[in-house]
């Protein structure tokens, strides 16, 4: 990761507004559990390119790991508004909502994940759990 991060930093010195480099640097920071730096990198990518769905999803993951679940849901939803057919993002959003006790909302996202990718087996398990935990599932 050190060589990759150095290369990305070098690219950013020459081209500070380079959303893909900020995003990839954020992924490197995330991988080595430097969540503050990862979040800052994802936010810089989004400042340069607000319609960067994958950066919204990555930001959501970092915020989740930092225990900021509501912020993570918001970021994930921003990404889904741009890329609604991302099955894993639908799954992750459903999981976040279940963790927050918002099971009926989670069911909607988990069903969407399975509609997009019926082979996403974690979604079946999580959907079952969300259905068990809510009385008013759609």
């Amino acid at each position: 990761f050190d060589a990759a991060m150095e290369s990305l930093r070098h690219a950013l010195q020459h081209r500070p507004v380079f959303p893909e480099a900020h995003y990839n640097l954020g992924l490197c920071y995330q991988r080595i559990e430097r969540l503050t730096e990862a979040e800052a990198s994802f936010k810089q990518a989004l400042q340069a390119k607000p319609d960067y769905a994958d950066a919204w999803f990555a930001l959501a993951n970092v915020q989740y790991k930092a225990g900021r679940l509501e912020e993570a849901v918001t970021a994930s939803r921003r990404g889904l508004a741009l890329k609604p057919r991302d099955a894993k993002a639908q799954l992750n959003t459903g999981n976040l909502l279940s963790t927050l006790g918002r099971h009926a909302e989670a069911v909607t996202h988990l069903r969407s994940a399975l509609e997009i990718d019926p082979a996403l087996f974690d979604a079946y398990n999580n959907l079952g759990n969300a259905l068990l935990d809510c009385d008013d599932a759609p």
Side-chain angles (χ1 to χ4, degrees), residues 73-132:
V73 169
T74 299
S76 190
R77 285 190 166 152
R78 294 278 306 265
L80 284 172
L82 299 164
K83 196 174 176 183
R85 302 277 312 154
D86 188 312
K88 288 187 180 181
Q90 291 284 1
L91 170 65
N92 289 342
T93 304
N95 292 343
L96 281 166
L97 290 164
S98 279
T99 300
L100 288 166
R102 293 161 49 188
H103 303 293
E105 289 177 80
V107 166
T108 300
H109 287 280
L110 295 167
R111 284 186 172 153
S112 291
L114 289 168
E115 178 184 303
I116 297 162
D117 184 0
L120 198 57
F121 298 112
D122 285 346
Y124 288 103
N125 182 61
N126 298 354
L127 175 59
N129 288 332
L131 287 167
L132 285 172

Side-chain angles (χ1 to χ4, degrees), residues 22 26 34-46 59 62:
H22 285 292
R34 290 174 56 182
L35 301 182
T36 301
E37 292 96 331
E39 183 171 1
S41 292
F42 296 138
K43 285 182 176 179
Q44 286 183 294
L46 289 164
L59 177 61
V62 168

